[in-house]
């Protein structure tokens, strides 16, 4: 039994490997060991940098909603990311479905045209035989 792997399967496997490496390598290499909270978000990093550079800086505005804990903030961020991924997946799914539908419609149209030509060709030959 021979098992062949398509080009798309190879690309998907490579992309999955790259994503896994991006998730595991920072932890394995200890890239955040020198920090108290090694993998905080960009907002926290920016706030720390601004406070160091300009201690008397005051923000222009405050957030509309301040979650009561970091866990709730993380959950809301995960929910936002999941909704965004869902919207993107829906868009790409609809796009692919339309493309497949168009391909099927073209294939059916060409099959219908070939069948019509074949029927017309055999019908005229039959008529021609009667005249002969």
């Amino acid at each position: 039994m021979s098992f062949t792997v398509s080009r798309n399967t190879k690309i998907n496997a490579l992309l999955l490997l790259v994503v896994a490496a991006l998730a595991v390598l920072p932890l394995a290499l200890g890239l955040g060991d020198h920090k108290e909270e090694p993998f905080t978000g960009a907002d926290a990093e920016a706030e720390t940098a601004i406070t160091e550079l300009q201690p008397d800086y005051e923000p222009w505005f405050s957030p509309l909603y301040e979650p009561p804990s970091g866990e709730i903030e993380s959950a809301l961020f995960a929910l936002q990311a999941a909704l965004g991924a869902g919207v993107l997946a829906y868009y790409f799914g609809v796009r692919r479905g339309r493309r497949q539908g168009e391909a099927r419609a073209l294939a059916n149209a060409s099959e219908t045209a070939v069948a019509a030509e074949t029927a017309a060709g055999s019908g005229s030959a039959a008529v021609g035989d009667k005249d002969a």
Side-chain angles (χ1 to χ4, degrees):
M1 178 164 117
S2 158
F3 181 71
T4 59
V5 179
S6 72
R7 182 173 185 261
N8 284 342
T9 304
K10 290 178 185 177
I11 290 172
N12 288 341
L14 180 64
L15 288 173
L16 185 62
L17 183 65
V18 168
V19 168
L22 285 173
V24 172
L25 281 176
L27 298 172
L29 298 175
L31 295 178
D33 288 346
H34 64 281
K35 298 180 179 179
E36 185 178 323
E37 293 183 34
F39 299 107
T40 58
D43 292 345
E45 292 286 331
E47 185 179 344
T48 303
I50 290 170
T51 306
E52 288 176 4
L53 295 173
Q54 298 268 338
D56 56 341
Y57 175 79
E58 291 187 28
W60 294 357
F61 57 89
S62 61
L64 297 175
Y65 172 70
E66 188 73 36
S69 70
E71 290 82 13
I72 293 176
E73 185 176 357
S74 294
L76 290 173
F77 181 76
L79 178 65
Q80 177 186 356
L83 287 173
V87 168
L88 282 175
Y90 176 78
Y91 169 75
F92 286 118
V94 166
R95 209 172 121 195
R96 181 175 180 170
R98 284 184 183 161
R99 214 174 332 121
Q100 288 176 344
E102 289 172 359
R104 278 193 216 120
L106 286 174
N108 288 341
S110 65
E111 287 175 7
T112 305
V114 168
E117 287 177 8
T118 304
S122 63
S124 65
V127 170
D129 289 341
K130 288 181 185 177
D131 291 338

